[in-house]
Amino acid sequence: PRLRPPFPPRLSTYSIKTAAEKLGRRDWSELTQGNKIVLPQRVLSQLQGRSLPYTQFQICNPECKQQRLYTGPLDFCAADGECYLPAWMMRQLKLKEGGTLSVATAQFPSGVFARFQPHSSDFLDVSNHYYLLLKTLDHFACLTAGSTIRVTDGSRTHLLDVLEVRGKPGQSDASRGRAIDLTMVELEVDIRPPKDQQPKKPAARPQP
């Protein structure tokens, strides 16, 4: 028989900003949270009780299952039946405040490579854009191929698509190449030309 999940697979979702204001958590910020989520203590207790890992998760909107994101925990202190995550992740999953989120454990390898594409060439105008991207990833638990992340330089927010990820060979990967863990890794990064940087058209040949 199929085992039931050790915790409710669907949780009510709220942005980290809303939860921080409600709970008075000044240490929670969209800028420093990366793509990590806050889950109830009961989730941690039940996973530990079954000797199951609790550092990697997958989340999706049950009404829009084609978009699935991989993530990790920031904390296990959310109210029972609730989950808190960055507003930009909620938008990707087409979730509103109080919407239902499907949560399950996951397994994916440590990352060795990731390829990104900025939405705008403005990102390349940032003098230290490569360093800025790496510093942003320091706050991320993992990366999901096919998703979009945001990078903030203090005055502007830049969107970058995650085109490709590669994990360490030989490690278990239930994500089928879609996710990599960023915990304690040295990640090779490639940045492709921005979306708004159209290739030059070849010069028209003169008519005879």
Side-chain angles (χ1 to χ4, degrees):
R2 184 177 181 181
L3 292 176
R4 296 182 62 186
F7 56 90
R10 296 190 177 187
L11 303 171
S12 297
T13 308
Y14 300 92
S15 69
I16 192 67
K17 181 180 179 181
T18 298
E21 292 174 352
K22 179 182 177 181
L23 301 176
R25 292 293 299 261
R26 296 182 178 180
D27 56 322
W28 286 355
S29 165
E30 293 258 345
L31 296 179
T32 58
Q33 187 184 3
N35 67 339
K36 299 175 185 176
I37 63 175
V38 182
L39 293 164
Q41 173 65 36
R42 186 156 67 101
V43 171
L44 176 62
S45 298
Q46 293 185 349
L47 288 174
Q48 288 179 325
R50 294 193 177 191
S51 298
L52 295 173
Y54 51 86
T55 59
Q56 298 179 341
F57 292 89
Q58 53 184 313
I59 57 176
C60 75
N61 181 343
E63 303 299 326
C64 187
K65 294 183 179 180
Q66 65 268 28
Q67 179 63 46
R68 183 180 302 271
L69 297 178
Y70 293 85
T71 183
L74 176 70
D75 206 337
F76 290 92
C77 62
D80 204 24
E82 295 183 355
C83 177
Y84 314 141
L85 61 153
W88 62 269
M89 291 177 66
M90 292 180 64
R91 287 192 291 271
Q92 286 194 55
L93 295 172
K94 297 180 173 60
L95 283 168
K96 296 181 179 180
E97 294 282 337
T100 300
L101 181 75
S102 291
V103 183
T105 55
Q107 190 176 45
F108 42 88
S110 297
V112 296
F113 173 83
R115 176 171 287 125
F116 300 87
Q117 183 178 33
H119 284 201
S120 170
S121 54
D122 290 343
F123 178 69
L124 300 185
D125 292 336
V126 179
S127 59
N128 56 346
H129 60 269
Y130 183 83
Y131 173 78
L132 181 65
L133 173 58
L134 292 180
K135 291 299 293 181
T136 298
L137 295 180
D138 284 344
H139 300 294
F140 275 59
C142 59
L143 281 173
T144 305
S147 67
T148 301
I149 67 169
R150 72 174 201 168
V151 177
T152 302
D153 62 12
S155 59
R156 293 174 298 177
T157 297
H158 307 274
L159 299 179
L160 285 78
D161 290 342
V162 184
L163 300 181
E164 179 187 353
V165 296
R166 296 179 200 160
K168 192 172 182 179
Q171 294 187 354
S172 298
D173 185 10
S175 77
R176 298 180 180 179
R178 292 196 60 223
I180 54 172
D181 194 298
L182 297 184
T183 306
M184 302 293 289
V185 301
E186 292 186 5
L187 190 70
E188 180 184 351
V189 169
D190 177 59
I191 301 176
R192 304 300 295 165
K195 284 186 170 183
D196 65 352
Q197 212 173 72
Q198 299 295 329
K200 293 183 179 180
K201 295 182 179 180
R205 294 183 179 179
Q207 295 296 326

